[in-house]
Amino acid sequence: MKELICIVCPKGCHLQVDEEHDYTVTGNSCPRGAEYGKAELTHPTRVVTSTVRCEGGAYPRCPVKTNGPIPKGEIFAAMALLDDITLTAPVRVGQVVVENVRDTGVDFVATRNM
């Protein structure tokens, strides 16, 4: 039995996930908590946020994030892809910075106009 705190909504339900009985989830207040509990133990994913260098803008770094979740095990490799990126202003919100991060079908996109 694993214990988790649900991060889907602000309630922060204390979940118990029974790995021996098909990842049955208890302690959730809504169906999204049950989905989160099972997914967290079978295939954990995260949305990744970071910054990249930017030349010619108001700030030296531009914030970026993945436009969807990626497998938790791919986070460090995905972050390493950003090390060699330098954007040149103008940059628009939603502009793709790195396409198809680690073959996940998810992109890093800019989250600020520069």
Side-chain angles (χ1 to χ4, degrees):
M1 184 79 69
K2 294 281 187 178
E3 294 187 14
L4 305 169
I5 295 177
C6 184
I7 60 171
V8 177
C9 75
K11 279 186 172 181
C13 296
H14 291 261
L15 308 177
Q16 294 81 38
V17 184
D18 190 350
E19 297 170 285
E20 296 176 6
H21 293 99
D22 194 34
Y23 298 95
T24 303
V25 178
T26 57
N28 54 303
S29 297
C30 68
R32 294 184 328 174
E35 292 171 18
Y36 169 77
K38 184 173 182 176
E40 186 63 16
L41 293 184
T42 59
H43 183 68
T45 60
R46 297 290 186 272
V47 171
V48 179
T49 61
S50 188
T51 61
V52 295
R53 285 183 294 278
C54 185
E55 296 176 345
Y59 303 100
R61 302 202 59 89
C62 179
V64 297
K65 73 172 201 155
T66 54
N67 61 0
I70 64 171
K72 196 172 176 182
E74 296 289 333
I75 291 174
F76 289 110
M79 294 290 289
L81 295 173
L82 300 175
D83 290 343
D84 298 325
I85 301 292
T86 300
L87 301 176
T88 303
V91 177
R92 297 286 169 235
V93 170
Q95 178 178 324
V96 175
V97 175
V98 177
E99 192 173 317
N100 195 20
V101 175
R102 305 283 297 161
D103 293 323
T104 60
V106 175
D107 304 326
F108 270 110
V109 296
T111 59
R112 180 184 190 129
N113 291 325
M114 298 285 276

